[in-house]
Amino acid sequence: AEGTFSEQGTPTQKVNVTRRVWEYRVAQCRQFKVENGHMNIHPRDQELGNFASRMRALYNRRLEGKEPLTQAEKDKVRYLDELGFAFDGKFDVNLQKFMEFKQRTGESKVPIKNAPDKKLGTWAAHVRQENNKLNRGEKSDYLTADRLRKLATAGFAFGEKAQRETPWEEYFDKLSAYRAEHDKDPPTSH
């Protein structure tokens, strides 16, 4: 009959429904970020879990290069990446915290001790340890090529450990002076 559609609808209707669903999910992701401060959506999240899992699967397909993505899929991944969607879970959340730290302080090396955010300092130390493994020719299960690319793009400082404020020679001189004056080693509290 005229004016009726098949159960599946016309291709144009499918595209419009798909676009509306996409826009609705993106709006939900933005709201999630406002409420939680990040976009690391757990797969078991009642509202967005399935969506997040599907988007991570697209991202991983892109990384693996086994199945090429359609242009629409590439656009979705790119758009969510620009929004700060955590395709790589906690790594992406920490990377975002690093970028905020860098923006706020102008520093690209997160301190380990006396860090304003202890968890960020611990994460940065772990990243440096894993990078050192790679530099020694060892394997790192944590630092994938994609993660290294993200860190380098963000300007993460992998550099050597920060030198102590007082070199060991100065401590040695203080120890020698104490021994000369007191004829014994200092107590362990010094």
Side-chain angles (χ1 to χ4, degrees):
E2 194 175 324
T4 61
F5 297 98
S6 69
E7 188 174 307
Q8 297 178 353
T10 66
T12 303
Q13 287 174 318
K14 286 182 192 177
V15 168
N16 288 337
V17 169
T18 302
R19 183 176 301 127
R20 283 195 305 269
V21 169
W22 165 254
E23 290 168 357
Y24 176 70
R25 292 296 185 208
V26 168
Q28 284 182 304
C29 287
R30 285 188 175 124
Q31 184 60 38
F32 183 93
K33 186 173 186 176
V34 167
E35 292 171 5
N36 297 283
H38 60 78
M39 288 180 93
N40 185 19
I41 301 165
H42 195 279
R44 285 184 252 159
D45 182 272
Q46 197 168 9
E47 288 287 320
L48 287 167
N50 288 335
F51 174 77
S53 294
R54 284 193 313 276
M55 294 303 105
R56 288 185 180 111
L58 283 178
Y59 181 80
N60 290 332
R61 274 183 38 210
R62 180 184 65 94
L63 289 179
E64 294 165 1
K66 294 178 184 173
E67 294 179 50
L69 299 183
T70 66
Q71 188 59 47
E73 291 170 331
K74 289 177 187 175
D75 291 343
K76 286 178 179 180
V77 168
R78 187 177 315 111
Y79 186 76
L80 286 173
D81 192 36
E82 289 170 3
L83 286 179
F85 185 84
F87 288 105
D88 199 355
K90 288 185 179 180
F91 179 86
D92 283 347
V93 171
N94 284 318
L95 183 65
Q96 183 63 39
K97 286 181 181 180
F98 162 72
M99 292 187 318
E100 290 166 4
F101 167 83
K102 185 178 172 190
Q103 177 76 30
R104 187 175 57 254
T105 65
E107 297 291 325
S108 60
K109 186 166 186 180
V110 178
I112 298 168
K113 294 181 180 178
N114 304 319
D117 180 341
K118 298 277 187 207
K119 288 181 181 179
L120 182 61
T122 301
W123 174 77
H126 180 65
V127 166
R128 289 187 197 110
Q129 287 171 346
E130 292 298 307
N131 187 60
N132 288 339
K133 277 185 183 178
L134 292 173
N135 289 339
R136 291 190 304 265
E138 298 171 19
K139 186 176 188 252
S140 170
D141 292 327
Y142 186 73
L143 283 183
T144 62
D146 186 56
R147 287 178 173 180
L148 284 168
R149 178 192 56 76
K150 288 178 182 180
L151 288 163
T153 300
F156 185 86
F158 290 101
E160 299 298 317
K161 290 183 178 179
Q163 289 187 339
R164 295 183 70 155
E165 292 177 19
T166 308
W168 72 271
E169 292 96 345
E170 188 174 325
Y171 286 116
F172 183 76
D173 292 342
K174 286 180 181 180
L175 174 63
S176 298
Y178 186 91
R179 283 181 175 164
E181 183 179 335
H182 301 283
D183 200 29
K184 65 180 180 179
D185 284 341
T188 56
S189 64
H190 276 82

